[in-house]
């Protein structure tokens, strides 16, 4: 595999290599979040972005049995800005909005947008469809209340990284079927989109750095729980029956990510359904490459700014 050498060195030196993801996914998935939070806390300094306001609040779920924490990133200049509804990664099982502070702050500064990051419920304690319902409730809140936070609710982008990208994709289908057409565009970054795990890239890259086939199997097992394999409903985006009338899309995949082919297949289905779609492959990259401070990442972040600016401001 012709993976970027600087990226490989950064992965090898990362403290996250202390975590045996495959073992913990099989035996103690809850511990992954604990370990990641510990390492993140040890390696993260408090943000000093003076031009950004970060607000934490909770909203009521539609069913009324729990609250959904949101983390809102806003430019301090008081004018209405487009809004991104964002979902963090973590195999549907771990991760939190705070772990993505730097990523979200960078996007706000580069794009002059608001970001609402959803602290959705996690599997296996809360399997499908809990996270999708939380995300959709956050969307409904933005439409109803976003203007109070200087959000342009006529310009909503839904976005996510890894499993968060899968959730974003699922919510576009769910919202459309509920006749909610408030999402204008979607941005999916190296998303897992098919629980079948039978693509060529999944076999060829089964032991790729940062994402293995074994961990993908466990991820889907925890997320979908006891759902029959042939009835994924909204849980598996690539298995949806209808791809018409969905928001315009940018889908980003990595050359050496097992999820590469399913991202391509999803983009193809959107294109065939008439949805304006752009597919981008990041060469020499592996899953979650943008967590590592390398030239490859820096170049992509600059490209990402241009991609998202065009996607968001062409509405």
């Amino acid at each position: 595999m012709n993976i970027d050498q600087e990226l490989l060195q950064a992965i090898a030196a990362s403290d996250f290599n202390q975590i045996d993801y495959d073992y913990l996914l099989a035996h103690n998935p809850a511990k992954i979040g604990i370990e990641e939070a510990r390492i993140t806390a040890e390696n993260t300094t408090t943000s000093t972005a003076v031009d950004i306001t970060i607000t934490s609040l909770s909203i009521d779920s539609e069913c009324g049995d729990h609250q959904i924490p949101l983390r809102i990133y806003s430019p301090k200049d008081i004018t209405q800005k487009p809004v991104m509804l964002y979902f963090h990664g973590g195999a549907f099982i771990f991760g939190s909005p705070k772990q993505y502070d730097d990523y979200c702050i960078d996007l706000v500064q580069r794009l002059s947008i608001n970001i609402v990051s959803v602290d959705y419920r996690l599997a296996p304690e809360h399997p499908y469809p809990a996270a999708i319902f939380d995300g959709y409730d956050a969307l409904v809140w933005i439409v109803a209340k976003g203007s109070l936070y200087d959000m342009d609710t006529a310009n909503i982008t839904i976005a996510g990284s890894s499993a968060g990208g899968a959730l974003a994709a699922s919510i576009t289908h769910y919202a459309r079927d509920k006749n909610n057409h408030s999402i204008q565009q979607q941005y999916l970054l190296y998303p897992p989109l098919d629980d079948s795990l039978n693509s060529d890239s999944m076999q060829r890259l089964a032991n790729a750095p940062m994402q293995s086939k074994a961990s993908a199997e466990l991820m889907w097992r925890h997320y979908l729980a006891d759902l029959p394999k042939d009835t994924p409903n909204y849980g598996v985006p690539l298995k949806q029956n209808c791809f018409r009338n969905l928001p315009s899309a940018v889908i980003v995949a990595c050359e050496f990510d097992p999820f590469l082919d399913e991202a391509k297949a999803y983009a193809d289905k959107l294109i065939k359904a008439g949805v304006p779609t752009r597919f981008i492959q990041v060469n020499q990259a592996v899953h979650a490459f943008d967590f590592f401070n390398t030239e490859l990442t820096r170049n992509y972040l600059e490209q990402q700014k241009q991609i998202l600016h065009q996607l968001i401001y062409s509405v």
Side-chain angles (χ1 to χ4, degrees):
M1 290 185 282
N2 185 29
I3 300 170
D4 180 84
Q5 289 301 303
E6 185 187 12
L7 175 60
L8 283 176
Q9 292 169 9
I11 292 170
S14 170
D15 288 342
F16 287 96
N17 271 340
Q18 301 170 18
I19 303 174
D20 188 339
Y21 285 93
D22 285 359
Y23 177 83
L24 290 177
L25 278 169
H27 300 285
N28 189 1
K31 190 175 181 181
I32 296 175
I34 296 170
E35 290 299 301
E36 282 205 341
R38 175 184 62 80
I39 293 171
T40 299
E42 291 173 354
N43 291 274
T44 302
T45 57
T46 303
S47 172
T48 56
V50 296
D51 54 340
I52 303 295
T53 298
I54 302 177
T55 305
S56 295
L57 56 83
S58 294
I59 62 172
D60 291 328
S61 63
E62 182 182 19
C63 60
D65 64 350
H66 69 284
Q67 289 202 311
I68 304 161
L70 305 178
R71 194 161 175 84
I72 303 172
Y73 307 80
S74 307
K76 284 190 175 178
D77 58 313
I78 305 174
T79 57
Q80 277 204 337
K81 307 286 187 184
V83 55
M84 175 182 287
L85 178 61
Y86 182 76
F87 297 88
H88 66 78
F92 308 109
I93 294 167
F94 51 91
S96 71
K98 283 188 177 181
Q99 287 180 269
Y100 286 73
D101 270 355
D102 289 344
Y103 179 81
C104 290
I105 289 169
D106 182 67
L107 285 182
V108 170
Q109 291 174 324
R110 288 174 183 262
L111 297 167
S112 190
I113 61 173
N114 297 282
I115 295 179
V116 177
S117 185
V118 185
D119 197 356
Y120 55 87
R121 289 171 291 170
L122 300 172
E125 182 179 0
H126 300 286
Y128 168 85
I132 292 175
F133 288 170
D134 287 353
Y136 182 74
D137 286 349
L139 173 65
V140 171
W141 178 86
I142 288 173
V143 174
K145 304 290 187 181
S147 61
L148 300 176
Y149 294 83
D150 298 311
M151 299 176 192
D152 180 0
T153 58
N155 190 348
I156 299 174
T157 301
I158 194 167
S161 306
S162 193
L167 293 175
S170 292
I171 292 166
T172 65
H173 290 269
Y174 183 68
R176 178 206 56 201
D177 292 351
K178 290 180 73 70
N179 203 31
N180 181 337
H181 299 287
S182 57
I183 303 169
Q184 299 301 307
Q185 48 271 331
Q186 55 182 311
Y187 178 71
L188 313 179
L189 182 58
Y190 43 75
L193 298 166
D194 184 10
D195 67 331
S196 300
L197 307 181
N198 58 10
S199 71
D200 176 68
S201 64
M202 185 60 67
Q203 313 316 314
R204 179 169 46 85
L205 301 168
N207 296 304
M210 300 300 296
Q211 180 62 59
S212 67
K213 181 179 180 181
S215 63
E217 290 173 343
L218 292 163
M219 171 189 74
W220 285 112
R221 186 187 307 168
H222 288 306
Y223 177 55
L224 298 178
D226 296 325
L227 278 181
K229 291 281 282 185
D230 59 344
T231 56
N233 201 0
Y234 293 102
V236 184
L238 193 60
K239 291 185 175 179
Q240 296 303 297
N241 293 321
C242 178
F243 286 77
R244 296 188 300 274
N245 301 318
L246 291 171
S248 58
V250 172
I251 301 173
V252 181
C254 303
E255 182 180 9
F256 298 108
D257 188 339
F259 299 139
L260 171 64
D261 286 350
E262 57 205 69
K264 287 181 179 177
Y266 194 78
D268 287 344
K269 288 197 173 190
L270 289 172
I271 292 167
K272 288 176 182 177
V275 176
T277 301
R278 181 180 179 187
F279 177 81
I280 297 168
Q281 177 176 303
V282 184
N283 291 327
Q284 295 190 289
V286 300
H287 191 82
F289 73 97
D290 55 326
F291 273 77
F292 303 95
N293 184 17
T294 66
E295 184 177 1
L296 179 67
T297 294
R298 292 188 292 274
N299 288 343
Y300 178 72
L301 291 177
E302 187 59 36
Q303 182 186 10
Q304 179 180 248
K305 173 186 173 181
Q306 298 168 6
I307 292 165
L308 284 171
H309 192 278
Q310 181 178 8
L311 181 71
I312 293 168
Y313 287 100
S314 62
V315 175

